[in-house]
Amino acid sequence: MTGAPHGLSRRRFALAATLLAAGCAAPHQGTGRPGDPIVLTLLSHYASGELKAALQGPVDEWNATHDRVKVRTKAVEFNDLLTTFMVRQAAGQGADILQPYCLWNGQLVRAGVLRPAPPEDAAEITRGYGAAAAGSASVGGRVYGYPTEAQTYALYYNRRLLREAGIAHPPRTWRELEDTAYRTTRRDRYGNTLVQGFGLSTYDDSTTVGQTLALLNASGGTFMSRDGRSTAIDSPSGRAVLDLEHRLVSRGASAPGVNVYKAFQSGQVAMVISAGWWTGSLKSQMGDAYREVAVAPVPVPKLGDKPATLATGFMLGVNTASQHPREAWEFLRWLNTEKVSPRGTTRMSALQVSVGSLTGRADDMRTLLGTGGDPNLRPFLDALGYAVPEPNVPGAQQAKSLLRKNIEALWTGQQSVEQSLRTIRRQVDQEVSRSW
C-alpha cells in the first residue's frame, strides 16, 4: 500500500498508521487447543461511556460461558473508524469482527474487507429484520452482516412552541411544514432570531444530509440511481426539496449556522428532522422540559402520499482476513439471533434499547418498548417498515460529503438551487463512476 485509502484524509491515515506503528497489533489468535482458546477481536466505535459498557456486557457473558472461543473488544472513535479498518487491513492486522457504518459497506466490499454472510445467516437476516435494515447490511444483493443500530428519521417538535403559535398538531404535509415553521419563528425587536421554526443546520451530516435525504425519500426521490453509478437527486423531487429548504432559510425560519442539537434542547427550535438515537440524549439532558418534546412522521408533499424516510445504521460482519470465520459467525449468531429471558429478545436488541436506540428487529422492539415506554420511539419503530436505506455503493462516503458541501453552499447563499443540483450531479457522478 503506497498511499492513503481512497476517500480518507491524510490526517486520519497518518493517525491510524501511527497507532499501528506504536504497537496496536492484533492480539494472539490462539490455536483452539485446550488451554489456548481462539481469541476473536471485535473492532467498533463503542469507545466510551454507556455504549462501551453495553457491548461489554454480552461479551463478558460469552467469555464466561465459552471456553474454546473468546472475544476481545477494541474500539476507536467513530471519526477514525473507517480509516482504521482500511489501514489495519492493509497492514495485515484487521480485526476478526468489524462494526462498520453501513454507508461504507460498498467501499469495504470492493476493498475485499468484508466476508459475505453464510447462507443460513443471510436467510436469517433477510427474514428477521426489516427491509431497510437488511438492505443497509447488503451490497449488490448479498448480505454481509447482522444489522445492529437501526436509525430512521422522523420529525421532532416542541409542543409548547406549536401550542403558543396556535397550532394543534404537527405538520403532515410540506405546506403545513412551511406554515408551521413561519408561524413558530420568533424574533426580537432588533430582528434577531429567538426561535427557529425549522432547524436546518450545518452542524453535522445527521442534520445537513440526513434530513435532506429524509425529505427527498418522502417526496418519492432518491439520492443515487438504482445501479449506484450516478446521482438521481437532479430530479423534480430533488429540486422540490432544495426549493423548500431554500425558502425556509431565505425567509428566516431556519438559521443553518446554529447548532440545532443545543438550540432545540433550549427551546430555540420548534421542529427538526433527525434520527431516533437523539431521543435518549434529549431525555437525559432536558429533564422536565422533555415532556414538551414529541415525534411525528416526516411530512410528505401532499396528503395521501406514501410515507417514506431515511434509514441509516451499523452492522457486525466478519473480516475476509479472519483465520476463524466459522467461530466469528457463531458468536454473531449468539449475539444477534438467540432469544434470551426475561423478555425473549436478542441480546443485541436489548443492548440497543438500553442506550435509547433500536435494531431492525421490529418484533424485538415492540416487546422491549412494550407499554409505558417512551412514546417518542414509536414513530421511529413504525418507520422501519417504510424507510429507505442510505445508499452504500462504492464511493458513498465521498458522495455524501460532496452532497453536504453543496447543500451548505445553497443554505448560505453561495449557490442557487439550479447551481447546486448541477454541481451535485457533476461532482457525485464523477466520484462514484471512478469508485467502481
Side-chain angles (χ1 to χ4, degrees), residues 79-90:
N79 287 341
D80 295 311
L81 187 58
L82 178 57
T83 310
T84 306
F85 287 157
M86 300 296 283
V87 174
R88 283 182 178 273
Q89 194 77 3

Side-chain angles (χ1 to χ4, degrees), residues 333-414:
R333 281 191 291 274
W334 176 88
L335 181 63
N336 293 281
T337 70
E338 185 176 308
K339 303 284 187 172
V340 294
S341 298
R343 305 295 294 275
T345 64
T346 66
R347 293 175 176 86
M348 179 54 68
S349 291
L351 184 163
Q352 293 299 331
V353 169
S354 75
V355 295
S357 184
L358 303 173
T359 68
R361 287 189 176 273
D363 56 341
D364 276 3
M365 294 302 99
R366 293 189 183 95
T367 297
L368 288 165
L369 296 178
T371 57
D374 187 346
N376 284 340
L377 287 175
R378 294 288 168 174
F380 300 103
L381 173 58
D382 294 341
L384 290 173
Y386 58 76
V388 179
E390 189 174 28
N392 62 5
V393 298
Q397 179 62 68
Q398 185 62 17
K400 184 175 185 178
S401 297
L402 292 169
L403 176 59
R404 177 181 178 182
K405 177 181 177 181
N406 283 283
I407 292 171
E408 291 177 354
L410 170 68
W411 291 354
T412 54
Q414 300 172 55

Side-chain angles (χ1 to χ4, degrees), residues 283-324:
K283 193 170 187 176
S284 63
Q285 295 171 11
M286 291 182 69
D288 291 342
Y290 180 73
R291 65 177 178 268
E292 297 293 354
V293 175
V295 179
V298 172
V300 292
K302 61 183 184 299
L303 285 177
D305 285 349
K306 184 178 179 181
T309 188
L310 176 69
T312 65
F314 288 76
M315 68 162 218
L316 282 167
V318 176
N319 196 332
T320 56
S322 174
Q323 298 178 24
H324 307 287

Side-chain angles (χ1 to χ4, degrees), residues 187-192:
R187 297 179 179 82
D188 64 19
R189 60 178 179 170
Y190 303 106
N192 299 311

Side-chain angles (χ1 to χ4, degrees), residues 75-133:
V76 297
E77 295 297 333
F78 173 74
N79 287 341
D80 295 311
L81 187 58
L82 178 57
T83 310
T84 306
F85 287 157
M86 300 296 283
V87 174
R88 283 182 178 273
Q89 194 77 3
Q93 298 175 1
D96 297 279
I97 299 170
L98 307 175
Q99 189 181 26
Y101 175 28
C102 290
L103 179 74
W104 306 333
N105 284 349
Q107 179 177 342
L108 293 174
V109 168
R110 189 175 185 275
V113 177
L114 288 175
R115 184 185 298 266
E120 63 271 25
D121 294 278
E124 167 62 27
I125 292 162
T126 302
R127 178 177 60 249
Y129 293 79

Side-chain angles (χ1 to χ4, degrees), residues 6-180:
H6 180 64
L8 302 175
S9 71
R10 292 184 178 181
R11 183 194 69 78
R12 290 182 184 167
F13 179 82
L15 172 63
T18 300
L19 290 173
L20 290 174
C24 296
H28 176 58
Q29 300 262 317
T31 64
R33 294 193 298 268
D36 188 13
I38 292 168
V39 178
L40 302 174
T41 52
L42 189 164
L43 178 59
S44 76
H45 63 291
Y46 289 0
S48 60
E50 61 181 4
L51 285 171
K52 181 178 181 180
L55 177 61
Q56 196 59 47
V59 168
D60 288 345
E61 180 189 353
W62 167 276
N63 289 336
T65 55
H66 292 76
D67 295 329
R68 192 178 65 87
V69 178
K70 304 294 184 181
V71 176
R72 181 179 302 170
T73 59
K74 297 283 185 179
V76 297
E77 295 297 333
F78 173 74
N79 287 341
D80 295 311
L81 187 58
L82 178 57
T83 310
T84 306
F85 287 157
M86 300 296 283
V87 174
R88 283 182 178 273
Q89 194 77 3
Q93 298 175 1
D96 297 279
I97 299 170
L98 307 175
Q99 189 181 26
Y101 175 28
C102 290
L103 179 74
W104 306 333
N105 284 349
Q107 179 177 342
L108 293 174
V109 168
R110 189 175 185 275
V113 177
L114 288 175
R115 184 185 298 266
E120 63 271 25
D121 294 278
E124 167 62 27
I125 292 162
T126 302
R127 178 177 60 249
Y129 293 79
S136 294
S138 303
V139 176
R142 299 191 72 178
V143 178
Y144 283 86
Y146 280 93
T148 54
E149 301 169 52
Q151 301 294 343
T152 56
Y153 279 65
L155 181 77
Y156 288 87
Y157 64 98
N158 185 310
R159 287 186 286 202
R160 176 182 60 80
L161 294 176
L162 267 64
R163 190 167 59 245
E164 290 174 353
I167 299 169
H169 58 77
R172 298 158 296 182
T173 66
W174 287 10
R175 183 183 295 275
E176 290 180 357
L177 176 67
E178 279 197 80
D179 178 64
T180 302

